[in-house]
Coordinates of all heavy atoms in Angstrom, one line a residue:
M226 N -38.2 0.8 -11.3 CA -38.7 1.5 -10.2 C -37.5 2.6 -9.9 O -36.4 2.2 -9.8 CB -38.8 0.5 -9.0 CG -39.3 1.3 -7.7 SD -39.7 0.1 -6.4 CE -38.1 -0.3 -5.8
I227 N -37.9 3.7 -9.5 CA -36.9 4.8 -9.2 C -36.4 4.5 -7.7 O -37.3 4.4 -6.8 CB -37.5 6.2 -9.3 CG1 -37.6 6.4 -10.8 CG2 -36.6 7.2 -8.7 CD1 -38.0 7.9 -11.1
I228 N -35.1 4.4 -7.5 CA -34.5 4.2 -6.2 C -34.1 5.6 -5.6 O -34.4 5.8 -4.4 CB -33.3 3.3 -6.2 CG1 -33.8 1.9 -6.8 CG2 -32.7 3.0 -4.9 CD1 -34.7 1.1 -6.1
C229 N -33.4 6.4 -6.4 CA -33.0 7.7 -5.9 C -33.7 8.7 -6.7 O -33.5 8.9 -7.8 CB -31.4 7.8 -6.2 SG -30.7 9.3 -5.7
H230 N -34.4 9.6 -5.9 CA -35.3 10.5 -6.5 C -34.5 11.8 -6.8 O -34.7 12.5 -7.9 CB -36.5 10.9 -5.7 CG -37.5 9.8 -5.6 ND1 -38.5 9.7 -6.6 CD2 -37.6 8.7 -4.7 CE1 -39.2 8.6 -6.2 NE2 -38.7 7.9 -5.2
C231 N -33.5 12.0 -6.0 CA -32.6 13.3 -6.3 C -31.9 13.1 -7.6 O -31.7 14.1 -8.4 CB -31.6 13.3 -5.1 SG -32.2 13.8 -3.5
Q232 N -31.4 11.9 -7.9 CA -30.5 11.7 -9.2 C -31.3 10.9 -10.2 O -30.6 10.6 -11.2 CB -29.2 11.1 -8.7 CG -28.4 11.9 -7.8 CD -27.9 13.1 -8.3 OE1 -27.7 13.3 -9.6 NE2 -27.7 14.3 -7.6
S233 N -32.5 10.6 -9.9 CA -33.3 9.8 -10.9 C -32.6 8.5 -11.3 O -32.3 8.2 -12.5 CB -33.6 10.6 -12.2 OG -34.3 11.7 -11.9
I234 N -32.2 7.7 -10.3 CA -31.5 6.5 -10.6 C -32.6 5.3 -10.3 O -33.2 5.3 -9.4 CB -30.3 6.2 -9.6 CG1 -29.3 7.3 -9.9 CG2 -29.7 4.9 -9.8 CD1 -28.1 7.3 -9.0
T235 N -32.6 4.4 -11.3 CA -33.5 3.3 -11.1 C -32.8 2.0 -10.7 O -31.6 1.9 -10.7 CB -34.2 3.0 -12.5 OG1 -33.2 2.6 -13.4 CG2 -34.9 4.2 -13.1
D236 N -33.7 0.9 -10.4 CA -33.1 -0.2 -9.9 C -32.3 -0.8 -11.1 O -31.3 -1.5 -10.9 CB -34.0 -1.2 -9.3 CG -35.2 -1.5 -10.2 OD1 -35.5 -0.6 -11.2 OD2 -35.9 -2.5 -10.2
R237 N -32.8 -0.6 -12.3 CA -32.1 -1.2 -13.4 C -30.7 -0.6 -13.6 O -29.7 -1.2 -14.0 CB -32.8 -0.9 -14.7 CG -34.0 -1.8 -14.9 CD -34.7 -1.7 -16.3 NE -35.9 -2.3 -16.3 CZ -36.6 -2.3 -17.5 NH1 -36.3 -1.6 -18.6 NH2 -37.7 -3.1 -17.5
D238 N -30.5 0.8 -13.4 CA -29.3 1.4 -13.4 C -28.3 0.9 -12.4 O -27.1 0.6 -12.8 CB -29.5 2.9 -13.2 CG -30.3 3.6 -14.1 OD1 -30.4 3.3 -15.3 OD2 -30.9 4.8 -13.7
I239 N -28.8 0.6 -11.3 CA -28.0 0.1 -10.2 C -27.5 -1.4 -10.6 O -26.3 -1.6 -10.4 CB -28.7 0.1 -8.8 CG1 -29.0 1.5 -8.4 CG2 -27.9 -0.8 -7.8 CD1 -29.8 1.7 -7.2
R240 N -28.3 -2.2 -11.0 CA -28.0 -3.6 -11.4 C -27.0 -3.5 -12.6 O -26.0 -4.3 -12.6 CB -29.3 -4.4 -11.8 CG -30.1 -4.7 -10.6 CD -31.1 -5.7 -11.0 NE -31.9 -6.0 -9.7 CZ -33.1 -5.5 -9.5 NH1 -33.7 -4.8 -10.5 NH2 -33.8 -5.7 -8.4
A241 N -27.2 -2.7 -13.5 CA -26.3 -2.6 -14.7 C -25.0 -2.1 -14.2 O -23.9 -2.7 -14.7 CB -26.8 -1.6 -15.7
A242 N -24.9 -1.2 -13.3 CA -23.6 -0.7 -12.8 C -22.9 -1.8 -12.1 O -21.6 -1.9 -12.2 CB -23.8 0.6 -12.0
V243 N -23.6 -2.5 -11.1 CA -23.0 -3.6 -10.4 C -22.4 -4.7 -11.3 O -21.3 -5.1 -11.2 CB -24.0 -4.2 -9.4 CG1 -23.4 -5.4 -8.7 CG2 -24.3 -3.1 -8.2
D244 N -23.3 -5.0 -12.2 CA -22.8 -6.1 -13.2 C -21.6 -5.6 -13.9 O -20.6 -6.4 -14.2 CB -23.9 -6.4 -14.2 CG -25.1 -7.2 -13.5 OD1 -24.9 -7.8 -12.4 OD2 -26.1 -7.3 -14.1
W245 N -21.6 -4.4 -14.4 CA -20.4 -3.9 -15.2 C -19.2 -3.9 -14.3 O -18.1 -4.3 -14.8 CB -20.8 -2.4 -15.7 CG -19.6 -1.8 -16.3 CD1 -19.2 -2.0 -17.6 CD2 -18.8 -0.8 -15.8 NE1 -18.1 -1.2 -17.9 CE2 -17.9 -0.4 -16.7 CE3 -18.7 -0.1 -14.5 CZ2 -16.8 0.6 -16.4 CZ3 -17.7 0.7 -14.3 CH2 -16.8 1.1 -15.2
M246 N -19.3 -3.4 -13.1 CA -18.1 -3.3 -12.2 C -17.5 -4.8 -11.9 O -16.4 -5.0 -11.9 CB -18.4 -2.7 -10.8 CG -18.4 -1.2 -11.0 SD -18.6 -0.4 -9.5 CE -20.3 0.0 -9.4
R247 N -18.5 -5.7 -11.6 CA -18.1 -7.1 -11.4 C -17.4 -7.6 -12.7 O -16.4 -8.4 -12.5 CB -19.1 -7.9 -11.0 CG -18.9 -9.4 -10.7 CD -17.9 -9.5 -9.5 NE -18.5 -9.0 -8.2 CZ -17.7 -8.3 -7.4 NH1 -16.5 -8.1 -7.5 NH2 -18.2 -7.9 -6.4
A248 N -17.9 -7.4 -13.9 CA -17.3 -7.9 -15.0 C -15.8 -7.1 -15.3 O -15.1 -7.9 -15.8 CB -18.2 -7.7 -16.3
A249 N -15.8 -5.9 -15.0 CA -14.5 -5.3 -15.1 C -13.5 -5.7 -14.1 O -12.3 -5.8 -14.5 CB -14.7 -3.8 -15.0
D250 N -13.8 -6.1 -12.9 CA -12.9 -6.5 -11.9 C -13.6 -7.5 -10.9 O -14.4 -7.1 -10.1 CB -12.4 -5.4 -11.1 CG -11.2 -5.6 -10.1 OD1 -10.9 -6.8 -10.0 OD2 -10.7 -4.8 -9.5
E251 N -13.1 -8.8 -10.9 CA -13.8 -9.8 -10.1 C -13.6 -9.5 -8.6 O -14.4 -10.0 -7.8 CB -13.3 -11.1 -10.5 CG -13.6 -11.6 -11.9 CD -13.1 -13.0 -12.2 OE1 -12.1 -13.4 -11.5 OE2 -13.6 -13.6 -13.1
D252 N -12.5 -8.8 -8.2 CA -12.1 -8.7 -6.8 C -12.6 -7.4 -6.2 O -12.4 -7.2 -5.1 CB -10.6 -8.7 -6.7 CG -10.0 -10.1 -7.0 OD1 -10.8 -11.1 -7.0 OD2 -8.9 -10.1 -7.4
T253 N -13.1 -6.6 -7.0 CA -13.4 -5.2 -6.4 C -14.6 -5.2 -5.5 O -15.6 -6.1 -5.6 CB -13.9 -4.2 -7.7 OG1 -13.8 -2.9 -7.0 CG2 -15.2 -4.6 -8.3
L254 N -14.4 -4.4 -4.4 CA -15.6 -4.2 -3.5 C -16.5 -3.2 -4.0 O -16.1 -2.1 -4.3 CB -15.1 -3.8 -2.2 CG -14.2 -4.8 -1.4 CD1 -13.6 -4.3 -0.1 CD2 -15.0 -6.1 -1.0
I255 N -17.8 -3.4 -4.2 CA -18.7 -2.5 -4.8 C -19.4 -1.8 -3.7 O -20.1 -2.4 -2.8 CB -19.7 -3.4 -5.7 CG1 -18.9 -4.0 -6.7 CG2 -20.7 -2.3 -6.3 CD1 -19.8 -4.9 -7.6
T256 N -19.3 -0.5 -3.7 CA -19.9 0.4 -2.7 C -21.0 1.3 -3.4 O -20.8 1.5 -4.6 CB -18.9 1.3 -2.0 OG1 -18.3 2.2 -3.0 CG2 -17.8 0.4 -1.3
P257 N -21.8 1.9 -2.6 CA -22.8 2.9 -3.1 C -22.1 4.0 -3.9 O -22.5 4.4 -5.0 CB -23.6 3.3 -2.0 CG -23.5 2.3 -1.0 CD -22.2 1.7 -1.2
G258 N -21.0 4.5 -3.3 CA -20.3 5.6 -3.9 C -19.7 5.2 -5.3 O -19.7 6.0 -6.2
K259 N -19.3 4.0 -5.4 CA -18.7 3.5 -6.7 C -19.8 3.4 -7.8 O -19.6 3.7 -8.9 CB -17.9 2.2 -6.6 CG -16.7 2.2 -5.9 CD -16.1 0.8 -5.8 CE -14.7 0.9 -5.2 NZ -14.1 -0.4 -5.1
V260 N -21.0 3.0 -7.3 CA -22.1 2.9 -8.2 C -22.6 4.3 -8.7 O -22.7 4.5 -9.9 CB -23.3 2.2 -7.5 CG1 -24.6 2.2 -8.5 CG2 -23.0 0.7 -7.2
Y261 N -22.6 5.3 -7.7 CA -22.9 6.7 -8.2 C -21.9 7.1 -9.2 O -22.3 7.7 -10.2 CB -22.9 7.5 -6.9 CG -24.2 7.6 -6.2 CD1 -24.4 7.0 -5.0 CD2 -25.3 8.3 -6.7 CE1 -25.7 7.0 -4.3 CE2 -26.5 8.3 -6.1 CZ -26.6 7.8 -4.9 OH -27.9 7.8 -4.3
R262 N -20.6 7.0 -8.8 CA -19.6 7.4 -9.8 C -19.7 6.7 -11.1 O -19.5 7.4 -12.2 CB -18.2 7.2 -9.3 CG -17.7 8.4 -8.6 CD -16.2 8.2 -8.0 NE -16.5 8.1 -6.6 CZ -15.9 7.1 -5.8 NH1 -15.1 6.3 -6.3 NH2 -16.2 7.0 -4.6
A263 N -20.0 5.4 -11.1 CA -20.0 4.7 -12.4 C -21.3 5.2 -13.3 O -21.2 5.2 -14.4 CB -20.3 3.2 -12.1
L264 N -22.3 5.8 -12.6 CA -23.4 6.3 -13.2 C -23.2 7.9 -13.6 O -24.2 8.5 -14.1 CB -24.7 6.2 -12.4 CG -25.1 4.7 -12.2 CD1 -26.3 4.6 -11.1 CD2 -25.5 4.0 -13.5
G265 N -22.1 8.4 -13.2 CA -21.8 9.8 -13.4 C -22.6 10.7 -12.6 O -22.9 11.9 -13.0
K266 N -23.1 10.2 -11.3 CA -23.8 11.0 -10.5 C -23.2 11.0 -9.1 O -22.2 10.4 -8.8 CB -25.3 10.5 -10.5 CG -25.8 10.5 -11.8 CD -27.2 10.0 -11.9 CE -27.7 10.2 -13.3 NZ -29.1 9.8 -13.6
K267 N -23.8 11.8 -8.2 CA -23.4 12.0 -6.8 C -24.6 12.0 -5.9 O -25.6 12.7 -6.2 CB -22.7 13.3 -6.8 CG -21.7 13.6 -5.7 CD -20.9 14.8 -5.9 CE -20.2 15.3 -4.7 NZ -19.6 16.7 -5.0
A268 N -24.5 11.4 -4.8 CA -25.6 11.3 -3.8 C -25.8 12.8 -3.2 O -24.9 13.5 -3.1 CB -25.2 10.4 -2.6
D269 N -27.1 13.0 -3.1 CA -27.5 14.4 -2.6 C -27.9 14.4 -1.2 O -27.2 14.7 -0.2 CB -28.6 15.0 -3.5 CG -28.8 16.4 -3.1 OD1 -28.0 17.0 -2.5 OD2 -29.8 17.0 -3.8
C270 N -29.1 13.8 -0.9 CA -29.6 14.0 0.5 C -29.3 12.5 1.2 O -29.3 12.6 2.4 CB -31.2 14.1 0.5 SG -32.0 12.7 -0.2
G271 N -29.0 11.5 0.5 CA -28.7 10.2 1.1 C -30.0 9.4 1.6 O -29.8 8.4 2.2
G272 N -31.2 9.9 1.5 CA -32.3 9.3 1.9 C -32.6 8.0 1.2 O -33.3 7.1 1.7
C273 N -32.0 7.7 0.1 CA -32.3 6.5 -0.7 C -31.3 5.5 -0.3 O -31.5 4.3 -0.8 CB -32.1 6.8 -2.1 SG -30.4 7.4 -2.6
L274 N -30.3 5.7 0.5 CA -29.3 4.7 0.7 C -29.7 3.4 1.3 O -29.2 2.3 0.8 CB -28.2 5.2 1.6 CG -27.2 6.2 0.8 CD1 -26.1 6.8 1.8 CD2 -26.5 5.5 -0.3
P275 N -30.7 3.2 2.3 CA -31.1 1.9 2.6 C -31.7 1.1 1.4 O -31.4 0.0 1.2 CB -32.2 2.2 3.7 CG -31.9 3.6 4.2 CD -31.3 4.3 3.1
L276 N -32.5 1.7 0.6 CA -33.1 1.1 -0.5 C -32.1 0.8 -1.6 O -32.1 -0.2 -2.2 CB -34.3 1.9 -1.2 CG -35.1 1.2 -2.1 CD1 -35.6 -0.1 -1.8 CD2 -36.2 2.2 -2.6
F277 N -31.2 1.7 -1.8 CA -30.0 1.6 -2.7 C -29.1 0.4 -2.4 O -28.8 -0.4 -3.2 CB -29.2 2.9 -2.6 CG -28.3 3.2 -3.8 CD1 -28.7 4.1 -4.8 CD2 -27.0 2.6 -3.9 CE1 -27.9 4.3 -5.8 CE2 -26.3 2.9 -5.0 CZ -26.7 3.7 -5.9
L278 N -28.9 0.2 -1.1 CA -28.1 -0.9 -0.7 C -28.8 -2.2 -0.8 O -28.3 -3.2 -1.1 CB -27.7 -0.7 0.9 CG -26.6 0.3 1.1 CD1 -26.4 0.6 2.6 CD2 -25.3 -0.3 0.5
D279 N -30.1 -2.2 -0.5 CA -31.0 -3.4 -0.7 C -31.0 -3.8 -2.1 O -30.9 -5.0 -2.4 CB -32.4 -3.2 -0.2 CG -32.6 -3.2 1.3 OD1 -31.6 -3.7 2.0 OD2 -33.7 -2.8 1.8
T280 N -31.1 -2.9 -3.0 CA -31.0 -3.2 -4.5 C -29.7 -3.8 -4.8 O -29.7 -4.7 -5.6 CB -31.3 -1.9 -5.3 OG1 -32.4 -1.3 -4.8 CG2 -31.4 -2.1 -6.8
M281 N -28.6 -3.2 -4.3 CA -27.2 -3.7 -4.6 C -27.1 -5.1 -4.1 O -26.6 -6.0 -4.8 CB -26.2 -2.8 -4.0 CG -26.0 -1.6 -4.7 SD -24.8 -0.4 -3.8 CE -23.4 -1.3 -3.6
H282 N -27.6 -5.4 -2.9 CA -27.5 -6.7 -2.4 C -28.3 -7.8 -3.1 O -28.1 -9.0 -3.1 CB -27.9 -6.7 -0.8 CG -26.9 -6.1 0.0 ND1 -26.1 -6.9 0.8 CD2 -26.5 -4.9 0.2 CE1 -25.2 -6.1 1.4 NE2 -25.6 -4.8 1.1
Q283 N -29.3 -7.3 -3.8 CA -30.1 -8.3 -4.6 C -29.4 -8.7 -5.9 O -30.0 -9.7 -6.6 CB -31.5 -7.7 -4.9 CG -32.4 -7.5 -3.6 CD -33.6 -6.8 -3.8 OE1 -33.9 -6.3 -4.9 NE2 -34.3 -6.5 -2.8
C284 N -28.4 -8.0 -6.3 CA -27.8 -8.3 -7.5 C -27.1 -9.7 -7.4 O -26.3 -9.9 -6.3 CB -26.8 -7.2 -7.9 SG -27.6 -5.8 -8.4
D285 N -27.0 -10.5 -8.4 CA -26.4 -11.8 -8.2 C -24.8 -11.6 -8.3 O -24.2 -12.4 -7.7 CB -26.7 -12.7 -9.4 CG -28.2 -13.1 -9.5 OD1 -28.8 -13.1 -8.3 OD2 -28.7 -13.4 -10.5
T286 N -24.4 -10.6 -9.0 CA -22.9 -10.4 -9.0 C -22.3 -9.4 -7.9 O -21.2 -9.1 -8.0 CB -22.6 -9.8 -10.3 OG1 -23.4 -8.5 -10.6 CG2 -22.9 -10.7 -11.6
F287 N -23.1 -9.1 -6.9 CA -22.7 -8.2 -5.9 C -21.5 -8.8 -5.0 O -20.5 -8.1 -4.8 CB -23.8 -7.7 -5.0 CG -23.4 -6.9 -3.9 CD1 -23.0 -5.5 -4.2 CD2 -23.5 -7.3 -2.7 CE1 -22.5 -4.7 -3.1 CE2 -23.0 -6.4 -1.7 CZ -22.5 -5.2 -1.8
V288 N -21.7 -10.1 -4.6 CA -20.9 -10.7 -3.7 C -19.6 -11.3 -4.5 O -19.7 -11.8 -5.5 CB -21.6 -11.8 -2.9 CG1 -20.6 -12.5 -2.1 CG2 -22.7 -11.3 -2.2
I289 N -18.4 -11.1 -3.8 CA -17.3 -11.6 -4.4 C -17.3 -13.2 -4.1 O -17.6 -13.5 -3.0 CB -16.0 -11.1 -3.7 CG1 -15.9 -9.6 -3.9 CG2 -14.8 -11.8 -4.2 CD1 -14.8 -8.9 -3.2
P290 N -17.1 -14.0 -5.1 CA -17.2 -15.5 -4.9 C -16.2 -15.9 -3.9 O -15.1 -15.3 -3.7 CB -16.8 -16.0 -6.3 CG -17.0 -14.9 -7.3 CD -16.8 -13.7 -6.6
M291 N -16.6 -16.9 -3.1 CA -15.9 -17.4 -1.9 C -14.4 -17.8 -2.3 O -13.5 -17.5 -1.5 CB -16.5 -18.6 -1.2 CG -15.9 -19.1 -0.1 SD -15.6 -17.8 1.2 CE -17.2 -17.7 2.0
Q292 N -14.2 -18.5 -3.4 CA -12.9 -19.0 -3.9 C -12.1 -17.7 -4.1 O -10.9 -17.7 -3.7 CB -13.1 -19.7 -5.3 CG -11.7 -20.3 -5.7 CD -11.1 -21.2 -4.8 OE1 -11.8 -21.9 -4.1 NE2 -9.8 -21.2 -4.7
R293 N -12.5 -16.6 -4.6 CA -11.6 -15.5 -4.8 C -11.4 -14.8 -3.5 O -10.2 -14.3 -3.3 CB -12.4 -14.3 -5.7 CG -12.9 -14.8 -7.0 CD -11.7 -15.1 -7.9 NE -11.0 -13.9 -8.2 CZ -9.9 -13.7 -8.9 NH1 -9.4 -14.8 -9.4 NH2 -9.4 -12.5 -9.1
R294 N -12.3 -14.9 -2.5 CA -12.0 -14.3 -1.1 C -10.8 -15.2 -0.5 O -9.8 -14.6 0.2 CB -13.2 -14.4 -0.2 CG -14.1 -13.3 -0.5 CD -15.1 -13.3 0.6 NE -16.5 -13.3 0.1 CZ -17.6 -13.6 0.8 NH1 -17.5 -13.7 2.0 NH2 -18.7 -13.5 0.2
V295 N -10.9 -16.5 -0.5 CA -9.8 -17.3 -0.1 C -8.6 -17.0 -0.6 O -7.5 -16.9 0.1 CB -10.2 -18.7 -0.2 CG1 -9.1 -19.7 0.2 CG2 -11.4 -19.2 0.7
E296 N -8.6 -16.9 -2.0 CA -7.2 -16.6 -2.6 C -6.7 -15.2 -2.2 O -5.4 -15.1 -2.0 CB -7.4 -16.5 -4.1 CG -7.7 -17.9 -4.8 CD -8.1 -17.8 -6.3 OE1 -8.1 -16.7 -6.8 OE2 -8.6 -18.9 -6.8
R297 N -7.5 -14.3 -2.0 CA -7.1 -13.0 -1.6 C -6.6 -13.0 -0.2 O -5.5 -12.4 0.1 CB -8.2 -12.0 -1.7 CG -7.8 -10.5 -1.2 CD -8.9 -9.6 -1.0 NE -9.7 -9.4 -2.2 CZ -10.8 -8.7 -2.2 NH1 -11.2 -8.1 -1.1 NH2 -11.4 -8.4 -3.3
R298 N -7.2 -13.8 0.7 CA -6.7 -13.9 2.1 C -5.4 -14.5 2.2 O -4.5 -14.1 2.9 CB -7.7 -14.7 2.9 CG -7.3 -14.7 4.4 CD -8.5 -15.3 5.1 NE -9.7 -14.6 5.1 CZ -10.8 -15.1 5.1 NH1 -11.0 -16.4 5.3 NH2 -12.0 -14.5 5.0
E299 N -5.1 -15.5 1.4 CA -3.9 -16.3 1.4 C -2.7 -15.4 0.8 O -1.6 -15.3 1.2 CB -3.9 -17.5 0.5 CG -4.8 -18.5 1.4 CD -5.0 -19.9 0.6 OE1 -4.4 -20.0 -0.5 OE2 -5.7 -20.7 1.2
K300 N -3.1 -14.6 -0.2 CA -2.1 -13.6 -0.8 C -1.7 -12.7 0.3 O -0.5 -12.3 0.4 CB -2.7 -12.8 -1.9 CG -2.4 -13.4 -3.3 CD -2.9 -12.5 -4.3 CE -3.0 -13.3 -5.7 NZ -3.7 -12.4 -6.6
S301 N -2.6 -12.2 1.1 CA -2.2 -11.1 2.1 C -1.4 -11.7 3.2 O -0.6 -11.1 3.8 CB -3.5 -10.5 2.8 OG -4.2 -11.5 3.5
K302 N -1.6 -13.0 3.4 CA -0.7 -13.6 4.4 C 0.7 -13.8 4.1 O 1.6 -13.6 4.8 CB -1.2 -15.1 4.7 CG -2.4 -15.0 5.7 CD -2.9 -16.5 5.9 CE -4.3 -16.5 6.6 NZ -4.7 -17.9 6.8
E303 N 0.9 -14.1 2.7 CA 2.2 -14.2 2.1 C 3.0 -13.0 2.3 O 4.3 -13.0 2.5 CB 2.1 -14.6 0.7 CG 1.6 -15.9 0.4 CD 1.4 -16.2 -1.0 OE1 1.7 -15.4 -1.9 OE2 0.8 -17.3 -1.4
V304 N 2.5 -11.7 2.2 CA 3.3 -10.5 2.2 C 3.1 -9.8 3.6 O 3.5 -8.6 3.8 CB 2.7 -9.5 1.1 CG1 3.1 -10.0 -0.1 CG2 1.3 -9.2 1.3
S305 N 2.7 -10.6 4.6 CA 2.5 -9.9 5.9 C 3.8 -9.5 6.7 O 3.7 -8.8 7.7 CB 1.6 -10.8 6.8 OG 2.2 -12.0 7.1
D306 N 5.0 -10.1 6.3 CA 6.2 -9.8 7.0 C 6.8 -8.6 6.6 O 7.9 -8.2 7.1 CB 7.2 -11.0 6.8 CG 7.6 -11.2 5.3 OD1 7.1 -10.4 4.5 OD2 8.5 -12.0 5.1
E307 N 6.3 -7.9 5.6 CA 6.9 -6.6 5.1 C 8.3 -6.6 4.7 O 9.0 -5.6 4.8 CB 6.7 -5.6 6.2 CG 5.2 -5.3 6.7 CD 5.1 -4.3 7.8 OE1 6.1 -3.8 8.3 OE2 4.0 -4.1 8.2
G308 N 8.7 -7.7 4.3 CA 10.2 -7.9 3.8 C 11.2 -7.9 4.9 O 12.3 -7.9 4.6
R309 N 10.9 -8.0 6.2 CA 11.9 -8.0 7.2 C 12.5 -9.4 7.5 O 11.8 -10.3 7.3 CB 11.4 -7.4 8.5 CG 11.1 -6.1 8.5 CD 10.6 -5.6 9.9 NE 10.0 -4.3 9.8 CZ 9.0 -3.9 10.6 NH1 8.6 -4.6 11.6 NH2 8.5 -2.7 10.5
R310 N 13.7 -9.5 7.9 CA 14.3 -10.7 8.2 C 13.6 -11.2 9.5 O 13.3 -10.3 10.3 CB 15.8 -10.7 8.4 CG 16.4 -10.5 6.9 CD 17.9 -10.4 7.1 NE 18.2 -9.1 7.6 CZ 19.3 -8.9 8.3 NH1 20.2 -9.7 8.5 NH2 19.5 -7.6 8.7
K311 N 13.6 -12.5 9.7 CA 12.9 -12.9 11.0 C 13.8 -12.7 12.1 O 13.3 -12.6 13.3 CB 12.6 -14.5 10.9 CG 11.5 -14.7 9.8 CD 11.1 -16.2 9.9 CE 10.0 -16.3 8.9 NZ 9.4 -17.6 8.8
G312 N 15.1 -12.7 12.0 CA 16.0 -12.4 13.2 C 16.1 -11.0 13.5 O 17.0 -10.6 14.4
Y313 N 15.4 -10.2 12.8 CA 15.7 -8.7 13.0 C 15.3 -8.2 14.4 O 14.3 -8.5 15.0 CB 14.9 -7.9 11.9 CG 15.1 -6.4 12.1 CD1 16.1 -5.8 11.5 CD2 14.1 -5.6 12.7 CE1 16.3 -4.4 11.6 CE2 14.3 -4.3 12.8 CZ 15.3 -3.7 12.3 OH 15.5 -2.4 12.4
R314 N 16.2 -7.5 15.0 CA 15.9 -6.9 16.4 C 16.5 -5.4 16.4 O 17.6 -5.2 15.9 CB 16.7 -7.6 17.6 CG 16.1 -9.0 17.7 CD 14.9 -9.0 18.6 NE 14.5 -10.3 19.0 CZ 13.5 -10.9 18.5 NH1 12.7 -10.5 17.6 NH2 13.2 -12.2 18.8
V315 N 15.8 -4.6 17.1 CA 16.3 -3.2 17.2 C 17.3 -3.2 18.3 O 16.9 -3.6 19.4 CB 15.1 -2.2 17.5 CG1 15.6 -0.9 17.6 CG2 14.1 -2.2 16.3
P316 N 18.4 -2.6 18.2 CA 19.4 -2.7 19.2 C 19.0 -1.8 20.5 O 18.3 -1.0 20.4 CB 20.8 -2.1 18.6 CG 20.3 -1.5 17.3 CD 19.0 -1.9 16.9
Ligands
LIG621 S1 -32.8 10.2 -2.8 FE1 -30.9 9.5 -3.4 S2 -29.5 11.2 -2.8 FE2 -31.5 11.9 -2.4

């Protein structure tokens, strides 16, 4: 089924792009812009975006697995001090 009439993108194209991006990087956030770029196209009128997003959400590989999210959150906590000493004070 054609999802984007301006660029002739089908639901199969979107699913293939989402699967490909997830296989290439398990942690990546997949956005409509990235899907367009992966397909070598660019949004024109934007009228398809609600259906485009629904199609993306229906993909099994769209969501980052919970275990990866937890690992990412813990990594961000480790580097939250920006390398400053704890006793640092501005005079
Ligand atoms: S229908 Fe998709 S950009 Fe216009």
Side-chain angles (χ1 to χ4, degrees):
M226 177 174 84
I227 290 187
I228 303 294
C229 177
H230 291 275
C231 293
Q232 299 294 333
S233 299
I234 297 174
T235 65
D236 58 335
R237 284 185 184 181
D238 296 334
I239 294 170
R240 288 194 182 102
V243 169
D244 290 345
W245 175 77
M246 279 189 264
R247 181 62 63 220
D250 185 358
E251 292 179 344
D252 293 338
T253 192
L254 293 175
I255 299 172
T256 63
K259 287 182 178 178
V260 173
Y261 273 107
R262 259 179 264 134
L264 296 171
K266 300 181 179 187
K267 196 172 167 184
D269 190 9
C270 71
C273 61
L274 281 179
L276 188 54
F277 201 98
L278 284 168
D279 283 347
T280 307
M281 286 173 58
H282 285 257
Q283 290 169 3
C284 294
D285 294 335
T286 56
F287 177 71
V288 177
I289 299 173
M291 183 56 80
Q292 182 62 32
R293 303 292 294 177
R294 283 193 231 171
V295 170
E296 289 171 7
R297 182 192 294 176
R298 187 173 300 148
E299 289 178 4
K300 269 186 194 172
S301 69
K302 285 180 185 173
E303 290 173 6
V304 294
S305 64
D306 66 352
E307 300 174 1
R309 293 185 193 151
R310 288 180 285 154
K311 290 187 179 184
Y313 180 79
R314 293 274 190 259
V315 176

